[in-house]
Amino acid sequence: LLAFAEARPLSPLDLDPRYLVVRRSEDGGATWGPIAPIAQPATDDCSQSDPVPIALSSGEVVLMFQNCDRLSVSRSNDDGATWTEPEPVADAGSDIDGLRPGPGHAIQLTGGAAEGRLLVAADRNVDDTSELYLLLSDDGGATWSAGATYVTVEGDPDIDETALAELTDGSVLLSSRNGSAGRPGRVELVTADQGESFAMLAEGRTLRIATDLTVPVVQGALLSLADTGLVVFSSPSDPLYRRGVRLWTGTGDERWTAGPLPVPGPGAYSDLVDLGDGMIGLLVETGDVNPYQRIDLIRLPTGELDQPGDALPDEFDVAGAAAG
């Protein structure tokens, strides 16, 4: 297993310099090796952020991220022990250069006319308008192009930090952070042509709001389970505060069923991984006082994902939950 994070040596603030690190586990997450940088930033004022790993069927790992404000890729052919120097995915000033990917894992398609294609969701905000791109690669991440795009119009929620998962019918579900306070629910889009365009959903629109997901303004993760046909979503479940990280299950439409509550206390960003043998892993920011004290890996059996979980605790430390 590979766990990626941003190292923030000066402070936990988003705007201070940071760089990317990885830890490796060779026993399924029971123990972890030392923290190691992916690639050293080119200059002291260069920041690296938003790591998006893609596990290829070949065994190679492609990592897309922002490197000194350039959308870039590094690769590993030895299970994350070493990484290539970052390479920009596009010419400076192109439509996709400078986009912010993920964060969270991206996917390689397992079937269809574009089997093996890599899909990464990336975004930017221009003049208070959200732009969402699906980035496509048909050569294992060597070259990239823009596929489906969505630009918000007046009245749309702000969207960013998008997760994606391939469904059993070959379509791909996208779930974006809803940045509009007072309009609960995740923003969802679907591509039925392997990333080329977004499909029409309800009311002749390509965007819908999944109101079953009562979440705050925060990143969330998606994972598809081929054996069961379920899609799993992870996020804090308090509509205002980053606490109570819960798992929901669905089949790819806008209906979701609330399941286990593995983190009843403070919790923020997360990612999901299929561990095999009927288990998934939840990698999550959490802590005893606020959500940013540590990163935990929590194992959960897939057979219990659709079982009702505990209720969100009524009593909690508001200051801790609001930290950050």
Side-chain angles (χ1 to χ4, degrees), residues 263-312:
V263 181
Y269 283 31
S270 61
D271 204 1
L272 294 164
V273 62
D274 188 349
L275 298 173
D277 296 327
M279 301 291 290
I280 68 166
L282 170 70
L283 191 74
V284 59
E285 291 181 311
T286 184
D288 300 315
V289 178
N290 69 66
Y292 311 108
Q293 293 178 289
R294 65 180 186 268
I295 298 174
D296 287 354
L297 177 71
I298 301 172
R299 298 166 165 276
L300 299 115
T302 57
E304 298 179 8
L305 295 178
D306 58 354
Q307 300 300 311
D310 295 334
L312 195 63

Side-chain angles (χ1 to χ4, degrees), residues 41 64 88 100 120 158 163 223 258 275 279-280:
M64 183 178 286
R100 185 178 70 163
V120 177
D158 296 326
L223 179 69
L275 298 173
M279 301 291 290
I280 68 166

Side-chain angles (χ1 to χ4, degrees), residues 78-266:
D78 53 12
D79 299 328
T82 62
W83 297 86
T84 61
E85 287 297 314
E87 295 184 2
V89 304
D91 294 333
S94 74
D95 285 344
I96 63 176
D97 187 53
L99 289 170
R100 185 178 70 163
H105 72 273
I107 60 173
Q108 181 178 37
L109 297 180
T110 60
E115 181 178 354
R117 171 175 287 175
L118 309 188
L119 263 64
V120 177
D123 62 72
R124 66 171 160 238
N125 189 282
V126 180
D127 297 328
D128 296 325
T129 297
S130 300
E131 299 178 355
L132 172 63
Y133 286 72
L134 268 181
L135 304 180
L136 317 179
S137 176
D138 290 321
D139 53 13
T143 60
W144 295 84
S145 61
T149 60
Y150 185 86
V151 179
T152 57
V153 298
E154 185 174 355
D156 281 349
D158 296 326
I159 57 175
D160 62 357
E161 298 191 334
T162 299
L164 67 173
E166 185 179 13
L167 305 179
T168 54
D169 64 0
S171 62
V172 175
L173 173 68
L174 288 83
S175 177
S176 298
R177 182 169 82 161
N178 181 345
S180 300
R183 297 188 60 185
R186 294 281 293 188
V187 177
E188 294 183 344
L189 302 95
V190 174
T191 174
D193 55 10
Q194 302 195 294
E196 300 289 344
S197 65
F198 288 126
M200 284 295 177
L201 303 174
E203 300 177 356
R205 301 211 55 200
T206 58
L207 176 152
R208 70 187 181 208
I209 306 296
T211 55
D212 289 342
L213 300 174
T214 54
V215 299
V217 179
V218 69
Q219 177 264 7
L222 284 177
L223 179 69
S224 57
L225 299 175
D227 292 344
T228 64
L230 290 177
V231 182
V232 187
F233 175 73
S234 63
S235 169
S237 57
D238 187 308
L240 295 177
Y241 299 105
R242 292 183 173 183
R243 72 181 186 106
V245 177
R246 187 180 295 280
L247 302 183
W248 287 261
T249 56
T251 57
D253 57 21
E254 59 194 289
R255 295 183 294 273
W256 293 92
T257 300
L261 186 75
V263 181

